[in-house]
Amino acid sequence: MRLIWDELGKALPMIFHGNPQLLDVIWFTVQVAVVATAAATLIGLPIGLALALGRFRGRNLLRALANASLALPPVLVGVFLFILFSPAAPLGFLHLIWTRRVVFIAQTILALPFVVALSAAAIQALAPGLLAQARLLGAGRLQVSMLALREARIGVIAALIAALGTSLAEVAAVALLGGNIYGYDQTLASATLYEVGGGYYADAVAIGIVLIVLILILMCGLGVLQQQGNGIRMRFRSAA
Amino acid sequence: MSDAAGDPRVMLRCERLSVRRGRREVVHDVSAELRAGEIIALLGPNGAGKSTLLDALAGALPAAQGRIERRGRVAVALQSPDLARRTVLANVVLALAWWGVPRGNRAPRAREALRAIGAEHLAARPAATLSGGERRRVHLARAIAVRPDILLLDEPFAGLDAEVRASLLEDALSALRSATRATLVVVHDRAEAWALADRLLILIDGRLVATGPPRELLEQPPSLEVAHFLGFDGRLDDGLEVVLTRPAHVALDPAGPVHGRVTRAIPLEDGVRLELELEHGRLYTVAPLPAPGPGDDVRVRLEGGVRFPRFEASAPVPSTAP
């Protein structure tokens, strides 16, 4: 117990003195989380819509796969991408290993299942009559999709929260693919791991505290947006 | 499927139409026409295939056999009045957007439709706060607002209490009437059909068993099956014929020619529904209070009913019973 207080006592001044390296890690973490979540949203929402609204053979199997991918161990994704991007591999010519770009790619892949599976589930939970009625009154595919997203917005934003949470907290794939290189491609989570590995517990605690505060700020922001979606009109209009 | 040819007033025609749900054929060999200015009620018991037929007429289900011809655009109001999470006016405007109405025309048309169905006062209300009856009104307004050539309504009054249903029916009666539009309403309740329709289609077990004006069908049901469905619940064997009656055809009269005994008495709001056991059958009537009770002997006079040959149920001999 004393050790915790001691390390906290050392950690807090580090945070409040604005360590420039810590600020760099915070900025990179925010970039990775926002870009990965945005990319996963752009890719994942159309897939989630197709799984929820589409009528094609194998839809149930794809839904089951999307749900199963929620439990995908990040280290496994890291290993798979490492094999794919390693210099001798088919995509080795891209020279992505131990770069910042691969961290963005890995985090996007890890966030994607949350967007796909949770948004599909939210849309499937809608009253089927509304979407069927829209089709029967002439709504096109885009209009029905926008209506579904708007009506399921609470669940869809929950999917984005989960994706953002993964992007902020995941460490294994980042460490494996990016190398967790000090001062270059560390995120707050991987930097915590790095400091613990080096025995710098006060630094690890400081970074951990910053990570928790960042998670709280971003999640609260999305939470407010989600609750607004429940009660207040959002500028997230159906295609009309 | 193509545009209805020939008679320009025919907006929708199906010929020898059969429709499947999955592997099961639910609608068999149905032929019917829907004309401009006409309101038709599609009536039948639960599971008769009414909604399946409506889906096929709307183009939402393919025809397994036969053909459907349509003239103009079809709008369908499904049975479930699901609305989007926005205001009532925005819901109707949204429907107009789906239909392809130019943006500038949507709000005035939406207000006009809400006014027609008696829901203008709800325009600013969020849909989530509406009662069941109000949701049905908005649902109907949405279908009317798009001004389709052919309007198909699936049980628009389902699940409403008697008072709300009567009020909505009254407003729908004028709102649905249009000289250029053909309207088909699926109804479960006969009273709704009488109130709304120029013509009835009666569907039983997926087959169209009767078609015609409501009064005509009631006075002259074409078969025992249709008569039973139309509420002819009394039956009296009379030689080689069967007399079927509705409660309104049976009057208690001390000087009546037929003797019976009350076997059951069910209190109603304005009287008692009596089940009468007769020597050659069983009749039902509604008597005002004070009414006889179970076990009482009564005399009965018949004031209507239809006769069918006893062994040929399909060929009616319409006439007033003795």
Side-chain angles (χ1 to χ4, degrees), chain B residues 33-227:
Chain B
E33 277 183 358
L34 189 54
R35 299 185 194 91
E38 192 177 39
I39 299 177
I40 289 188
L42 178 59
L43 196 60
N46 281 334
K50 304 185 294 292
S51 295
T52 302
L53 176 58
L54 184 114
D55 285 349
L57 294 177
L61 270 182
Q65 277 184 348
R67 47 185 281 153
I68 302 169
E69 299 171 6
R70 304 184 188 90
R71 176 175 285 134
R73 286 186 78 181
V74 183
V76 184
L78 294 172
Q79 190 173 340
S80 168
D82 294 323
L83 302 174
R85 272 195 271 187
R86 48 179 82 190
T87 65
V88 163
L89 183 68
N91 264 281
V92 184
V93 165
L94 186 61
L96 290 163
W98 296 332
W99 193 254
V101 174
R103 191 180 290 271
N105 297 347
R106 291 175 197 161
R109 268 174 69 167
R111 286 190 186 283
E112 191 184 321
L114 286 169
R115 194 163 43 243
I117 201 74
E120 198 184 14
H121 63 290
L122 302 173
R125 287 256 303 271
T129 65
L130 299 180
S131 69
E134 289 167 340
R135 291 178 82 81
R136 291 244 167 243
R137 262 178 212 277
V138 178
H139 189 46
L140 264 179
R142 202 162 50 172
I144 292 166
V146 300
R147 297 179 190 161
D149 303 298
I150 303 159
L151 178 58
L152 308 178
L153 306 172
D154 192 357
E155 303 213 24
F157 314 106
L160 300 178
D161 61 49
E163 198 178 330
V164 174
R165 187 169 54 180
S167 157
L168 180 55
L169 200 57
E170 204 172 293
D171 290 326
L173 203 56
S174 54
L176 291 178
R177 186 63 68 186
S178 157
T180 53
R181 184 173 58 221
T183 305
L184 178 75
V185 193
V186 171
V187 287
H188 186 69
D189 188 314
R190 290 195 303 270
E192 293 164 9
W194 304 146
L196 280 175
D198 305 312
R199 211 150 49 90
L200 297 185
L201 302 179
I202 297 179
L203 198 68
I204 295 179
D205 289 335
R207 295 185 186 283
L208 191 60
V209 292
T211 173
R215 186 53 51 195
E216 212 171 90
L217 279 181
L218 202 60
E219 286 172 0
Q220 195 174 331
S223 67
L224 272 172
E225 185 183 37
V226 173

Side-chain angles (χ1 to χ4, degrees), chain A:
Chain A
M1 195 66 189
R2 186 172 175 76
L3 178 68
I4 295 174
W5 287 114
D6 285 350
E7 298 305 333
L8 263 177
K10 292 179 205 165
L12 291 175
M14 288 183 202
I15 297 169
F16 291 113
H17 285 135
N19 182 327
Q21 277 177 335
L22 182 60
L23 290 177
D24 278 349
V25 175
I26 293 171
W27 176 232
F28 183 61
T29 304
V30 171
Q31 283 181 63
V32 169
V34 171
V35 170
T37 305
T41 303
L42 282 175
I43 301 165
L45 277 186
I47 300 173
L49 277 164
L51 288 182
L53 303 177
R55 294 169 192 168
F56 53 87
R57 198 180 284 262
R59 182 177 60 156
N60 288 335
L61 178 68
L62 287 176
R63 275 185 201 152
L65 283 175
N67 289 333
S69 62
L70 289 174
L72 211 57
V75 68
L76 208 63
V77 174
V79 169
F80 177 75
L81 291 178
F82 190 87
I83 293 168
L84 202 66
F85 291 132
S86 63
L91 297 179
F93 69 93
L94 294 171
H95 305 295
L96 288 171
I97 293 295
W98 297 318
T99 66
R100 285 184 160 203
R101 281 178 296 163
V102 81
V103 174
F104 285 98
I105 294 170
Q107 296 295 62
T108 301
I109 291 171
L110 286 167
L112 192 59
F114 289 92
V115 177
V116 172
L118 299 185
S119 64
I123 292 164
Q124 277 181 273
L126 291 176
L130 179 62
L131 302 181
Q133 184 63 71
R135 288 191 192 97
L136 286 168
L137 287 175
R141 199 170 290 179
L142 179 65
Q143 288 173 312
V144 172
S145 298
M146 295 310 288
L147 175 69
L149 283 179
R150 191 184 189 281
E151 291 299 302
R153 57 189 176 262
I154 292 172
V156 170
I157 293 173
L160 303 193
I161 289 173
L164 185 67
T166 297
S167 307
L168 284 169
E170 202 287 314
V171 76
V174 173
L176 199 63
L177 291 159
N180 203 11
I181 300 166
Y182 181 78
Y184 175 59
D185 65 359
Q186 283 186 326
T187 62
L188 284 167
S190 71
T192 307
L193 182 71
Y194 180 88
E195 300 299 345
V196 168
Y200 304 110
Y201 293 108
D203 293 44
V205 170
I207 295 168
I209 290 170
V210 171
L211 177 59
I212 289 168
V213 170
L214 188 64
I215 288 172
L216 284 174
I217 291 170
L218 291 174
M219 295 302 177
C220 284
L222 276 178
V224 167
L225 191 68
Q226 187 182 38
Q227 291 316 309
Q228 278 189 333
N230 195 21
I232 303 168
R233 189 172 176 212
M234 288 171 63
R235 305 302 291 174
F236 179 17
R237 300 170 67 105
S238 296

Side-chain angles (χ1 to χ4, degrees), chain B residues 237-261:
Chain B
D237 293 336
D238 185 15
L240 292 174
E241 290 182 324
V242 173
V243 181
L244 296 186
T245 63
R246 290 162 52 81
H249 297 140
V250 182
L252 297 183
D253 180 354
V258 187
H259 168 261
R261 174 166 292 157

